[in-house]
């Protein structure tokens, strides 16, 4: 199992120090493949580190760097926990009314209906269920209900490096963004 993950990570290594540390961590852990009827397939080392398996038919928008697929589902947690790096990413763009709830009932839940910027795609959810999005210019953004607009969290490269660092340090990536995300992660 670890050899599969090591290969997956090695093939798209961008040369970052964080990536090297992640490779070392993956080599040091024992992973099991878990097939959950409702949640999907995972490669998990207990509650220490987890990746989601990439379905054969899953593809990402062409603008997404190769390292995104390699890190798909990365989290320093049990596989059953919500979230995971790029877990929501697909070719389907974000749509008005489904920014705070993927069920398309933002207004029913008391959230404003905000038009997402063109080229914005669901990217991941936090462990509390808040949604983050990725733009075609590689910015990680989130809908700000108070300002009724999208706010930039970080560029994808920095967000990714911080996500890897957090996973290696056995903590949630949200620790880097507590001030910006505030109540989205509480």
């Amino acid at each position: 199992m670890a050899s599969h993950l090591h290969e997956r990570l090695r093939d798209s290594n961008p040369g970052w120090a964080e990536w090297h540390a992640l490779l070392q961590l993956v080599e040091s852990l024992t992973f099991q493949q878990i097939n959950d009827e409702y949640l999907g397939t995972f490669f998990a080392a207990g509650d220490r580190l987890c990746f989601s398996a990439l379905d054969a038919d899953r593809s990402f928008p062409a603008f997404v760097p190769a390292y995104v697929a390699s890190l798909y589902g990365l989290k320093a947690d049990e596989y059953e926990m919500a979230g995971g790096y790029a877990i929501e990413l697909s070719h389907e763009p974000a749509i008005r009314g489904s920014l705070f709830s993927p069920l398309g009932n933002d207004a029913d839940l008391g959230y404003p209906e905000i038009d997402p910027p063109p080229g914005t795609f669901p990217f991941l959810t936090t462990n509390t269920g808040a949604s983050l999005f990725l733009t075609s210019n590689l910015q990680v953004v989130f809908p700000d209900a108070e300002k009724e607009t999208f706010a930039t969290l970080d560029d994808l490269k920095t967000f990714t490096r911080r996500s890897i660092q957090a996973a290696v340090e056995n903590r949630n990536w949200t620790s880097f963004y507590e001030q910006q995300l505030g109540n989205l992660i509480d």
Side-chain angles (χ1 to χ4, degrees):
M1 215 50 57
S3 63
H4 168 73
L5 286 175
H6 187 263
E7 181 179 309
R8 177 171 145 176
L9 294 167
R10 186 191 65 232
D11 289 349
S12 61
N13 186 345
W16 306 328
E18 298 89 353
W19 199 278
H20 179 69
L22 181 61
L23 282 170
Q24 287 182 318
L25 178 60
V26 167
E27 289 176 350
S28 74
L29 298 172
T30 301
F31 286 83
Q32 294 180 352
Q33 181 172 329
I34 298 170
N35 298 306
D36 186 291
E37 178 181 1
Y38 302 104
L39 301 175
T41 302
F42 301 88
F43 303 108
D47 63 356
R48 176 60 186 90
L49 192 64
C50 177
F51 293 83
S52 295
L54 280 165
D55 298 330
D57 61 344
R58 177 166 294 276
S59 62
F60 300 115
F63 65 83
V64 174
Y67 61 75
V68 171
S70 295
L71 296 174
Y72 181 69
L74 168 69
K75 58 186 165 190
D77 212 336
E78 298 178 64
Y79 80 90
E80 299 103 330
M81 296 304 291
Y85 182 90
I87 201 72
E88 302 294 331
L89 187 59
S90 73
H91 283 300
E92 297 298 321
I95 55 173
R96 179 184 176 94
S98 296
L99 304 178
F100 298 93
S101 168
L103 299 175
N105 60 344
D106 287 355
D108 294 340
L109 295 174
Y111 291 105
E113 290 199 15
I114 303 169
D115 289 319
T120 301
F121 297 82
F123 186 60
L124 63 86
T125 55
T126 68
N127 54 349
T128 61
S131 297
L132 297 183
F133 298 82
L134 181 65
T135 66
S136 56
N137 62 351
L138 302 180
Q139 298 295 303
V140 178
V141 299
F142 62 96
D144 184 326
E146 286 182 15
K147 296 179 182 173
E148 296 191 21
T149 188
F150 272 75
T152 299
L153 184 62
D154 221 332
D155 64 90
L156 179 63
K157 181 179 175 182
T158 303
F159 179 84
T160 301
R161 292 180 80 166
R162 287 180 170 174
S163 295
I164 294 168
Q165 180 182 349
V168 168
E169 294 173 358
N170 198 23
R171 60 188 172 123
N172 195 303
W173 62 267
T174 58
S175 62
F176 285 103
Y177 300 102
E178 289 171 349
Q179 196 167 16
Q180 291 114 306
L181 293 176
N183 63 351
L184 292 179
I185 58 175
D186 291 335

mmCIF file of all heavy atoms in Angstrom, residues 97-139:
data_model
loop_
_atom_site.group_PDB
_atom_site.id
_atom_site.type_symbol
_atom_site.label_atom_id
_atom_site.label_comp_id
_atom_site.label_asym_id
_atom_site.label_seq_id
_atom_site.Cartn_x
_atom_site.Cartn_y
_atom_site.Cartn_z
ATOM 1 N N GLY A 97 -26.376 29.304 -5.075
ATOM 2 C CA GLY A 97 -27.343 28.558 -4.272
ATOM 3 C C GLY A 97 -26.778 27.290 -3.661
ATOM 4 O O GLY A 97 -27.426 26.671 -2.826
ATOM 5 N N SER A 98 -25.569 26.894 -4.084
ATOM 6 C CA SER A 98 -24.936 25.676 -3.564
ATOM 7 C C SER A 98 -23.536 25.958 -3.019
ATOM 8 O O SER A 98 -22.671 25.095 -3.062
ATOM 9 C CB SER A 98 -24.833 24.621 -4.670
ATOM 10 O OG SER A 98 -26.097 24.224 -5.097
ATOM 11 N N LEU A 99 -23.319 27.131 -2.519
ATOM 12 C CA LEU A 99 -21.986 27.504 -2.049
ATOM 13 C C LEU A 99 -21.771 27.174 -0.577
ATOM 14 O O LEU A 99 -20.669 26.841 -0.165
ATOM 15 C CB LEU A 99 -21.730 28.984 -2.290
ATOM 16 C CG LEU A 99 -21.900 29.444 -3.734
ATOM 17 C CD1 LEU A 99 -21.678 30.940 -3.846
ATOM 18 C CD2 LEU A 99 -20.969 28.675 -4.653
ATOM 19 N N PHE A 100 -22.807 27.262 0.195
ATOM 20 C CA PHE A 100 -22.713 26.958 1.617
ATOM 21 C C PHE A 100 -23.219 25.552 1.915
ATOM 22 O O PHE A 100 -22.862 24.958 2.920
ATOM 23 C CB PHE A 100 -23.498 27.985 2.436
ATOM 24 C CG PHE A 100 -22.960 29.379 2.280
ATOM 25 C CD1 PHE A 100 -23.480 30.235 1.326
ATOM 26 C CD2 PHE A 100 -21.911 29.827 3.078
ATOM 27 C CE1 PHE A 100 -22.982 31.528 1.173
ATOM 28 C CE2 PHE A 100 -21.395 31.101 2.924
ATOM 29 C CZ PHE A 100 -21.931 31.957 1.970
ATOM 30 N N SER A 101 -24.064 25.049 1.055
ATOM 31 C CA SER A 101 -24.600 23.698 1.188
ATOM 32 C C SER A 101 -24.611 23.044 -0.189
ATOM 33 O O SER A 101 -25.221 23.583 -1.119
ATOM 34 C CB SER A 101 -26.028 23.736 1.736
ATOM 35 O OG SER A 101 -26.623 22.458 1.610
ATOM 36 N N PRO A 102 -23.965 21.896 -0.337
ATOM 37 C CA PRO A 102 -23.944 21.247 -1.652
ATOM 38 C C PRO A 102 -25.321 20.753 -2.107
ATOM 39 O O PRO A 102 -25.494 20.377 -3.251
ATOM 40 C CB PRO A 102 -22.970 20.084 -1.458
ATOM 41 C CG PRO A 102 -22.945 19.831 0.004
ATOM 42 C CD PRO A 102 -23.224 21.145 0.659
ATOM 43 N N LEU A 103 -26.303 20.810 -1.220
ATOM 44 C CA LEU A 103 -27.649 20.377 -1.581
ATOM 45 C C LEU A 103 -28.408 21.431 -2.374
ATOM 46 O O LEU A 103 -29.522 21.190 -2.826
ATOM 47 C CB LEU A 103 -28.445 20.001 -0.326
ATOM 48 C CG LEU A 103 -27.859 18.857 0.490
ATOM 49 C CD1 LEU A 103 -28.666 18.653 1.769
ATOM 50 C CD2 LEU A 103 -27.801 17.588 -0.331
ATOM 51 N N GLY A 104 -27.813 22.617 -2.537
ATOM 52 C CA GLY A 104 -28.461 23.667 -3.318
ATOM 53 C C GLY A 104 -29.525 24.416 -2.548
ATOM 54 O O GLY A 104 -30.431 24.988 -3.158
ATOM 55 N N ASN A 105 -29.423 24.416 -1.244
ATOM 56 C CA ASN A 105 -30.447 25.076 -0.443
ATOM 57 C C ASN A 105 -29.871 26.191 0.433
ATOM 58 O O ASN A 105 -30.288 26.378 1.570
ATOM 59 C CB ASN A 105 -31.202 24.064 0.402
ATOM 60 C CG ASN A 105 -30.314 23.304 1.379
ATOM 61 O OD1 ASN A 105 -29.098 23.292 1.260
ATOM 62 N ND2 ASN A 105 -30.936 22.649 2.344
ATOM 63 N N ASP A 106 -28.942 26.953 -0.113
ATOM 64 C CA ASP A 106 -28.329 28.050 0.648
ATOM 65 C C ASP A 106 -29.384 28.989 1.229
ATOM 66 O O ASP A 106 -29.349 29.314 2.424
ATOM 67 C CB ASP A 106 -27.364 28.856 -0.230
ATOM 68 C CG ASP A 106 -26.073 28.117 -0.541
ATOM 69 O OD1 ASP A 106 -25.863 27.004 -0.001
ATOM 70 O OD2 ASP A 106 -25.274 28.654 -1.331
ATOM 71 N N ALA A 107 -30.319 29.439 0.415
ATOM 72 C CA ALA A 107 -31.339 30.392 0.868
ATOM 73 C C ALA A 107 -32.203 29.785 1.978
ATOM 74 O O ALA A 107 -32.513 30.464 2.966
ATOM 75 C CB ALA A 107 -32.210 30.845 -0.296
ATOM 76 N N ASP A 108 -32.564 28.530 1.853
ATOM 77 C CA ASP A 108 -33.370 27.869 2.882
ATOM 78 C C ASP A 108 -32.646 27.802 4.221
ATOM 79 O O ASP A 108 -33.274 27.769 5.278
ATOM 80 C CB ASP A 108 -33.746 26.448 2.454
ATOM 81 C CG ASP A 108 -34.665 26.413 1.255
ATOM 82 O OD1 ASP A 108 -35.327 27.440 0.970
ATOM 83 O OD2 ASP A 108 -34.712 25.366 0.577
ATOM 84 N N LEU A 109 -31.324 27.787 4.183
ATOM 85 C CA LEU A 109 -30.526 27.721 5.399
ATOM 86 C C LEU A 109 -30.158 29.105 5.935
ATOM 87 O O LEU A 109 -29.446 29.218 6.925
ATOM 88 C CB LEU A 109 -29.250 26.917 5.139
ATOM 89 C CG LEU A 109 -29.469 25.438 4.806
ATOM 90 C CD1 LEU A 109 -28.152 24.790 4.414
ATOM 91 C CD2 LEU A 109 -30.112 24.705 5.989
ATOM 92 N N GLY A 110 -30.636 30.150 5.258
ATOM 93 C CA GLY A 110 -30.394 31.509 5.718
ATOM 94 C C GLY A 110 -29.136 32.154 5.169
ATOM 95 O O GLY A 110 -28.733 33.218 5.631
ATOM 96 N N TYR A 111 -28.514 31.522 4.182
ATOM 97 C CA TYR A 111 -27.310 32.103 3.571
ATOM 98 C C TYR A 111 -27.692 32.925 2.351
ATOM 99 O O TYR A 111 -28.672 32.620 1.660
ATOM 100 C CB TYR A 111 -26.342 31.003 3.134
ATOM 101 C CG TYR A 111 -25.702 30.273 4.276
ATOM 102 C CD1 TYR A 111 -26.107 28.989 4.600
ATOM 103 C CD2 TYR A 111 -24.697 30.859 5.024
ATOM 104 C CE1 TYR A 111 -25.524 28.302 5.660
ATOM 105 C CE2 TYR A 111 -24.108 30.192 6.080
ATOM 106 C CZ TYR A 111 -24.526 28.904 6.389
ATOM 107 O OH TYR A 111 -23.946 28.242 7.432
ATOM 108 N N PRO A 112 -26.913 33.953 2.040
ATOM 109 C CA PRO A 112 -27.185 34.722 0.824
ATOM 110 C C PRO A 112 -26.835 33.887 -0.409
ATOM 111 O O PRO A 112 -25.965 33.018 -0.352
ATOM 112 C CB PRO A 112 -26.242 35.925 0.957
ATOM 113 C CG PRO A 112 -25.117 35.429 1.791
ATOM 114 C CD PRO A 112 -25.734 34.445 2.762
ATOM 115 N N GLU A 113 -27.534 34.164 -1.490
ATOM 116 C CA GLU A 113 -27.188 33.510 -2.747
ATOM 117 C C GLU A 113 -26.187 34.403 -3.460
ATOM 118 O O GLU A 113 -26.514 35.515 -3.863
ATOM 119 C CB GLU A 113 -28.439 33.251 -3.581
ATOM 120 C CG GLU A 113 -29.307 32.181 -2.959
ATOM 121 C CD GLU A 113 -30.280 31.566 -3.939
ATOM 122 O OE1 GLU A 113 -30.123 31.741 -5.158
ATOM 123 O OE2 GLU A 113 -31.211 30.886 -3.466
ATOM 124 N N ILE A 114 -24.968 33.897 -3.573
ATOM 125 C CA ILE A 114 -23.860 34.652 -4.141
ATOM 126 C C ILE A 114 -23.488 34.034 -5.480
ATOM 127 O O ILE A 114 -23.426 32.810 -5.598
ATOM 128 C CB ILE A 114 -22.632 34.602 -3.197
ATOM 129 C CG1 ILE A 114 -22.991 35.142 -1.808
ATOM 130 C CG2 ILE A 114 -21.463 35.363 -3.784
ATOM 131 C CD1 ILE A 114 -21.922 34.887 -0.760
ATOM 132 N N ASP A 115 -23.217 34.876 -6.468
ATOM 133 C CA ASP A 115 -22.730 34.369 -7.743
ATOM 134 C C ASP A 115 -21.240 34.080 -7.615
ATOM 135 O O ASP A 115 -20.456 34.979 -7.295
ATOM 136 C CB ASP A 115 -22.952 35.394 -8.863
ATOM 137 C CG ASP A 115 -24.418 35.523 -9.225
ATOM 138 O OD1 ASP A 115 -25.102 34.496 -9.292
ATOM 139 O OD2 ASP A 115 -24.872 36.665 -9.419
ATOM 140 N N PRO A 116 -20.832 32.843 -7.870
ATOM 141 C CA PRO A 116 -19.396 32.549 -7.818
ATOM 142 C C PRO A 116 -18.688 33.181 -9.009
ATOM 143 O O PRO A 116 -19.272 33.306 -10.092
ATOM 144 C CB PRO A 116 -19.334 31.029 -7.885
ATOM 145 C CG PRO A 116 -20.615 30.608 -8.507
ATOM 146 C CD PRO A 116 -21.631 31.659 -8.172
ATOM 147 N N PRO A 117 -17.440 33.599 -8.825
ATOM 148 C CA PRO A 117 -16.694 34.129 -9.968
ATOM 149 C C PRO A 117 -16.587 33.071 -11.067
ATOM 150 O O PRO A 117 -16.541 31.868 -10.766
ATOM 151 C CB PRO A 117 -15.318 34.441 -9.383
ATOM 152 C CG PRO A 117 -15.523 34.518 -7.909
ATOM 153 C CD PRO A 117 -16.662 33.606 -7.596
ATOM 154 N N PRO A 118 -16.554 33.474 -12.330
ATOM 155 C CA PRO A 118 -16.368 32.500 -13.412
ATOM 156 C C PRO A 118 -15.092 31.688 -13.175
ATOM 157 O O PRO A 118 -14.098 32.200 -12.655
ATOM 158 C CB PRO A 118 -16.237 33.364 -14.666
ATOM 159 C CG PRO A 118 -16.868 34.662 -14.299
ATOM 160 C CD PRO A 118 -16.645 34.845 -12.827
ATOM 161 N N GLY A 119 -15.122 30.412 -13.510
ATOM 162 C CA GLY A 119 -13.952 29.563 -13.342
ATOM 163 C C GLY A 119 -13.695 29.168 -11.898
ATOM 164 O O GLY A 119 -12.554 28.965 -11.503
ATOM 165 N N THR A 120 -14.759 29.056 -11.105
ATOM 166 C CA THR A 120 -14.641 28.668 -9.697
ATOM 167 C C THR A 120 -15.234 27.276 -9.525
ATOM 168 O O THR A 120 -16.338 27.004 -9.982
ATOM 169 C CB THR A 120 -15.374 29.679 -8.789
ATOM 170 O OG1 THR A 120 -14.794 30.967 -8.989
ATOM 171 C CG2 THR A 120 -15.286 29.296 -7.332
ATOM 172 N N PHE A 121 -14.477 26.418 -8.833
ATOM 173 C CA PHE A 121 -14.864 25.019 -8.669
ATOM 174 C C PHE A 121 -14.824 24.624 -7.200
ATOM 175 O O PHE A 121 -13.915 25.056 -6.471
ATOM 176 C CB PHE A 121 -13.897 24.104 -9.446
ATOM 177 C CG PHE A 121 -13.928 24.333 -10.917
ATOM 178 C CD1 PHE A 121 -13.210 25.370 -11.498
ATOM 179 C CD2 PHE A 121 -14.689 23.514 -11.743
ATOM 180 C CE1 PHE A 121 -13.247 25.593 -12.865
ATOM 181 C CE2 PHE A 121 -14.731 23.722 -13.113
ATOM 182 C CZ PHE A 121 -14.013 24.770 -13.673
ATOM 183 N N PRO A 122 -15.786 23.808 -6.747
ATOM 184 C CA PRO A 122 -15.677 23.282 -5.383
ATOM 185 C C PRO A 122 -14.327 22.586 -5.224
ATOM 186 O O PRO A 122 -13.870 21.892 -6.139
ATOM 187 C CB PRO A 122 -16.830 22.284 -5.292
ATOM 188 C CG PRO A 122 -17.817 22.761 -6.312
ATOM 189 C CD PRO A 122 -16.974 23.302 -7.435
ATOM 190 N N PHE A 123 -13.687 22.762 -4.068
ATOM 191 C CA PHE A 123 -12.358 22.205 -3.841
ATOM 192 C C PHE A 123 -12.330 21.246 -2.651
ATOM 193 O O PHE A 123 -11.899 20.111 -2.763
ATOM 194 C CB PHE A 123 -11.347 23.338 -3.650
ATOM 195 C CG PHE A 123 -9.919 22.890 -3.554
ATOM 196 C CD1 PHE A 123 -9.329 22.195 -4.598
ATOM 197 C CD2 PHE A 123 -9.171 23.160 -2.427
ATOM 198 C CE1 PHE A 123 -8.006 21.777 -4.509
ATOM 199 C CE2 PHE A 123 -7.843 22.760 -2.338
ATOM 200 C CZ PHE A 123 -7.257 22.065 -3.378
ATOM 201 N N LEU A 124 -12.775 21.710 -1.499
ATOM 202 C CA LEU A 124 -12.816 20.836 -0.330
ATOM 203 C C LEU A 124 -13.761 21.400 0.702
ATOM 204 O O LEU A 124 -14.232 22.526 0.587
ATOM 205 C CB LEU A 124 -11.423 20.639 0.274
ATOM 206 C CG LEU A 124 -10.669 21.836 0.832
ATOM 207 C CD1 LEU A 124 -11.035 22.125 2.278
ATOM 208 C CD2 LEU A 124 -9.185 21.528 0.782
ATOM 209 N N THR A 125 -14.057 20.590 1.690
ATOM 210 C CA THR A 125 -14.835 21.045 2.827
ATOM 211 C C THR A 125 -13.970 20.941 4.068
ATOM 212 O O THR A 125 -13.087 20.087 4.144
ATOM 213 C CB THR A 125 -16.111 20.204 3.026
ATOM 214 O OG1 THR A 125 -15.740 18.828 3.143
ATOM 215 C CG2 THR A 125 -17.078 20.375 1.876
ATOM 216 N N THR A 126 -14.219 21.826 5.017
ATOM 217 C CA THR A 126 -13.507 21.744 6.284
ATOM 218 C C THR A 126 -14.123 20.628 7.113
ATOM 219 O O THR A 126 -15.177 20.087 6.763
ATOM 220 C CB THR A 126 -13.598 23.068 7.066
ATOM 221 O OG1 THR A 126 -14.950 23.267 7.487
ATOM 222 C CG2 THR A 126 -13.123 24.247 6.236
ATOM 223 N N ASN A 127 -13.502 20.322 8.239
ATOM 224 C CA ASN A 127 -14.056 19.280 9.096
ATOM 225 C C ASN A 127 -15.379 19.704 9.725
ATOM 226 O O ASN A 127 -16.095 18.877 10.271
ATOM 227 C CB ASN A 127 -13.045 18.856 10.163
ATOM 228 C CG ASN A 127 -12.525 20.010 10.979
ATOM 229 O OD1 ASN A 127 -12.742 21.171 10.636
ATOM 230 N ND2 ASN A 127 -11.828 19.700 12.054
ATOM 231 N N THR A 128 -15.746 20.984 9.622
ATOM 232 C CA THR A 128 -17.049 21.447 10.101
ATOM 233 C C THR A 128 -18.061 21.568 8.970
ATOM 234 O O THR A 128 -19.189 21.981 9.195
ATOM 235 C CB THR A 128 -16.918 22.808 10.811
ATOM 236 O OG1 THR A 128 -16.404 23.771 9.879
ATOM 237 C CG2 THR A 128 -16.020 22.714 12.027
ATOM 238 N N GLY A 129 -17.659 21.246 7.744
ATOM 239 C CA GLY A 129 -18.581 21.256 6.617
ATOM 240 C C GLY A 129 -18.555 22.514 5.768
ATOM 241 O O GLY A 129 -19.286 22.603 4.782
ATOM 242 N N ALA A 130 -17.749 23.507 6.114
ATOM 243 C CA ALA A 130 -17.652 24.721 5.299
ATOM 244 C C ALA A 130 -16.920 24.407 3.996
ATOM 245 O O ALA A 130 -16.013 23.579 3.964
ATOM 246 C CB ALA A 130 -16.914 25.815 6.066
ATOM 247 N N SER A 131 -17.320 25.065 2.928
ATOM 248 C CA SER A 131 -16.759 24.789 1.602
ATOM 249 C C SER A 131 -15.712 25.812 1.199
ATOM 250 O O SER A 131 -15.873 27.015 1.409
ATOM 251 C CB SER A 131 -17.868 24.806 0.552
ATOM 252 O OG SER A 131 -18.791 23.783 0.807
ATOM 253 N N LEU A 132 -14.642 25.291 0.583
ATOM 254 C CA LEU A 132 -13.631 26.123 -0.058
ATOM 255 C C LEU A 132 -13.664 25.805 -1.538
ATOM 256 O O LEU A 132 -14.032 24.700 -1.947
ATOM 257 C CB LEU A 132 -12.235 25.839 0.497
ATOM 258 C CG LEU A 132 -12.001 26.130 1.971
ATOM 259 C CD1 LEU A 132 -10.553 25.855 2.332
ATOM 260 C CD2 LEU A 132 -12.375 27.551 2.328
ATOM 261 N N PHE A 133 -13.246 26.778 -2.347
ATOM 262 C CA PHE A 133 -13.315 26.660 -3.792
ATOM 263 C C PHE A 133 -11.962 26.985 -4.399
ATOM 264 O O PHE A 133 -11.138 27.665 -3.793
ATOM 265 C CB PHE A 133 -14.387 27.611 -4.335
ATOM 266 C CG PHE A 133 -15.759 27.279 -3.821
ATOM 267 C CD1 PHE A 133 -16.178 27.706 -2.567
ATOM 268 C CD2 PHE A 133 -16.623 26.506 -4.571
ATOM 269 C CE1 PHE A 133 -17.434 27.382 -2.077
ATOM 270 C CE2 PHE A 133 -17.891 26.168 -4.088
ATOM 271 C CZ PHE A 133 -18.293 26.611 -2.839
ATOM 272 N N LEU A 134 -11.744 26.520 -5.618
ATOM 273 C CA LEU A 134 -10.521 26.783 -6.355
ATOM 274 C C LEU A 134 -10.892 27.510 -7.642
ATOM 275 O O LEU A 134 -11.799 27.084 -8.358
ATOM 276 C CB LEU A 134 -9.800 25.476 -6.687
ATOM 277 C CG LEU A 134 -8.484 25.602 -7.453
ATOM 278 C CD1 LEU A 134 -7.436 26.312 -6.597
ATOM 279 C CD2 LEU A 134 -7.988 24.231 -7.872
ATOM 280 N N THR A 135 -10.191 28.599 -7.923
ATOM 281 C CA THR A 135 -10.442 29.346 -9.152
ATOM 282 C C THR A 135 -9.466 28.903 -10.231
ATOM 283 O O THR A 135 -8.412 28.336 -9.948
ATOM 284 C CB THR A 135 -10.290 30.863 -8.923
ATOM 285 O OG1 THR A 135 -8.929 31.154 -8.612
ATOM 286 C CG2 THR A 135 -11.219 31.356 -7.814
ATOM 287 N N SER A 136 -9.803 29.204 -11.456
ATOM 288 C CA SER A 136 -8.943 28.822 -12.574
ATOM 289 C C SER A 136 -7.613 29.574 -12.566
ATOM 290 O O SER A 136 -6.677 29.166 -13.247
ATOM 291 C CB SER A 136 -9.664 29.033 -13.909
ATOM 292 O OG SER A 136 -10.109 30.365 -14.023
ATOM 293 N N ASN A 137 -7.505 30.655 -11.778
ATOM 294 C CA ASN A 137 -6.205 31.322 -11.627
ATOM 295 C C ASN A 137 -5.498 30.843 -10.357
ATOM 296 O O ASN A 137 -4.628 31.531 -9.828
ATOM 297 C CB ASN A 137 -6.319 32.845 -11.695
ATOM 298 C CG ASN A 137 -7.177 33.433 -10.597
ATOM 299 O OD1 ASN A 137 -7.844 32.717 -9.856
ATOM 300 N ND2 ASN A 137 -7.161 34.741 -10.487
ATOM 301 N N LEU A 138 -5.889 29.648 -9.868
ATOM 302 C CA LEU A 138 -5.237 28.917 -8.779
ATOM 303 C C LEU A 138 -5.248 29.660 -7.443
ATOM 304 O O LEU A 138 -4.265 29.685 -6.712
ATOM 305 C CB LEU A 138 -3.818 28.513 -9.176
ATOM 306 C CG LEU A 138 -3.715 27.637 -10.431
ATOM 307 C CD1 LEU A 138 -2.269 27.304 -10.731
ATOM 308 C CD2 LEU A 138 -4.554 26.377 -10.279
ATOM 309 N N GLN A 139 -6.398 30.224 -7.132
ATOM 310 C CA GLN A 139 -6.619 30.832 -5.828
ATOM 311 C C GLN A 139 -7.626 29.981 -5.054
ATOM 312 O O GLN A 139 -8.639 29.541 -5.619
ATOM 313 C CB GLN A 139 -7.163 32.258 -5.969
ATOM 314 C CG GLN A 139 -6.227 33.209 -6.686
ATOM 315 C CD GLN A 139 -4.940 33.435 -5.918
ATOM 316 O OE1 GLN A 139 -4.948 33.849 -4.766
ATOM 317 N NE2 GLN A 139 -3.824 33.144 -6.567
#
